[in-house]
Amino acid sequence: MPEGDVVWRTARQLHDALAGRVLVRSDFRVPRYATTSLAGRVVTDAISRGKHLLIRVEGDVSVHTHLRMDGSWRISPATGQPLRDHRIRLVLANDTWQAVGQQLGIVEVIRTSQESRAVGHLGPDLLGPAFDLAEAVRRLGADPQRAIGEALLDQRNLAGVGNLYKAETLFLRGLSPWRPTGEVTGLADLVDLARQLLEANKERVGQVTTGNPARGEQTWVYGRAGRPCRRCSTVIRGGEQGPQTEERVTFWCPRCQPG
Ligand SMILES: [Zn+2]
């Protein structure tokens, strides 16, 4: 599942392929924008805000997208040929490159000057250019009864953490996902660790928190329910936390993370 590191890298790839060039084609395959065309306009920037992507186009236009569970952007040399794939939601092409967005959870065209309507609710962006640790800690601690596993995933507290980095950060700090946030000492260290894990992975494909990139060795607890803890051999648990969505399955070691 795409988390902040994947979205950051995607934004950079989109920026490299599109920024400073004129779009020769745009193909929105969502009903609301079926007649929208950005052809002839210059892309000025592509950035990430947490798990959101903003592609800015001259004339106060931003294309706001979100990868959600299965979305992706692929960049390839422009072919000029129509693409047939029912998963495609948006194609943006210049005379050199085409960027193809598949299975995007959000596709909307907004004013660049009003981007805050789309991303203004987000907490400090862990991979943003001016990450505000104190503000992230303040937001995280604002609801002391709330389970830390849920609070870390709430993008209004801090932006960029998904299920994998949540589970791994809590394991590395020895914290149960159900520990009330008010009982967690060292929230700043916890947030900083999440930021470091995202930083360490943003330049590469694959998400590694153990230091071992070999298949099956990349994580401490994420995706490892039923298998032995790498530290204490206790069986790793997996279970739902918070509102029932796919994003909320969490993983933990009951011995290393007493709760
Ligand atoms: Zn353990």
Side-chain angles (χ1 to χ4, degrees), residues 3-4 51 126 152-153 155 158-163 165-166 194 198:
E3 303 197 22
K51 296 194 270 183
L126 286 162
L152 275 178
L153 272 188
Q155 304 295 300
L158 64 167
V161 171
N163 227 10
Y165 292 108
K166 173 205 67 178
L198 283 158

Side-chain angles (χ1 to χ4, degrees), residues 76-93:
S76 58
T79 63
Q81 303 296 317
L83 300 165
R84 290 189 187 81
D85 188 325
H86 69 279
R87 295 172 301 177
I88 294 174
R89 298 290 175 271
L90 174 57
V91 181
L92 297 172

Side-chain angles (χ1 to χ4, degrees), residues 2-237:
E3 303 197 22
D5 55 337
V6 172
V7 179
W8 182 93
R9 195 165 61 247
T10 301
R12 191 176 62 178
Q13 290 165 345
L14 287 166
H15 186 89
D16 289 349
L18 301 177
R21 298 169 195 251
V22 178
L23 291 172
V24 298
R25 189 159 65 96
S26 72
D27 180 1
F28 286 86
R29 299 186 186 177
V30 288
R32 187 175 169 195
Y33 300 107
T35 61
T36 299
S37 174
L38 300 176
R41 298 188 191 226
V42 174
V43 173
T44 57
D45 209 2
I47 62 164
S48 60
R49 283 287 175 269
K51 296 194 270 183
H52 296 252
L53 283 161
L54 294 162
I55 300 169
R56 295 170 175 160
V57 181
E58 65 175 0
D60 198 27
V61 173
S62 288
V63 179
H64 169 222
T65 61
H66 193 291
L67 303 179
R68 292 267 195 250
M69 302 297 289
D70 302 309
S72 66
W73 278 96
R74 290 178 204 289
I75 316 272
S76 58
T79 63
Q81 303 296 317
L83 300 165
R84 290 189 187 81
D85 188 325
H86 69 279
R87 295 172 301 177
I88 294 174
R89 298 290 175 271
L90 174 57
V91 181
L92 297 172
N94 53 44
D95 56 12
T96 307
W97 300 107
Q98 62 190 20
V100 179
Q102 296 193 341
Q103 296 183 282
L104 304 173
I106 294 174
V107 177
E108 61 175 357
V109 181
I110 59 178
R111 291 184 183 279
T112 304
S113 55
Q114 295 180 354
E115 281 178 355
S116 64
R117 290 187 183 181
V119 295
H121 65 288
L122 297 173
D125 182 356
L126 286 162
L127 294 179
F131 175 64
D132 186 342
L133 177 63
E135 176 63 9
V137 169
R138 188 191 69 76
R139 291 184 182 216
L140 206 52
D143 184 353
Q145 304 299 321
R146 194 173 188 194
I148 187 65
E150 281 185 51
L152 275 178
L153 272 188
D154 189 333
Q155 304 295 300
R156 295 170 296 184
N157 291 336
L158 64 167
V161 171
N163 227 10
L164 185 146
Y165 292 108
K166 173 205 67 178
E168 296 295 289
T169 302
L170 291 173
F171 173 82
L172 287 165
R173 287 284 160 210
L175 290 167
S176 161
W178 281 271
R179 183 88 57 91
T181 300
E183 293 177 17
V184 175
T185 53
L187 276 180
D189 285 347
L190 186 71
V191 172
D192 195 55
L193 177 60
R195 189 190 61 76
Q196 287 178 42
L197 293 176
L198 283 158
E199 269 298 331
N201 284 290
K202 72 180 188 181
E203 304 274 1
R204 67 178 163 208
V205 176
Q207 295 168 313
V208 180
T209 57
T210 55
N212 185 347
R215 189 173 179 84
E217 302 294 327
Q218 293 117 325
T219 61
W220 294 101
V221 291
Y222 181 81
R224 298 193 68 243
R227 302 180 63 192
C229 174
R230 299 188 195 282
R231 281 192 176 153
C232 75
S233 298
T234 300
V235 174
I236 301 294
R237 304 269 307 272

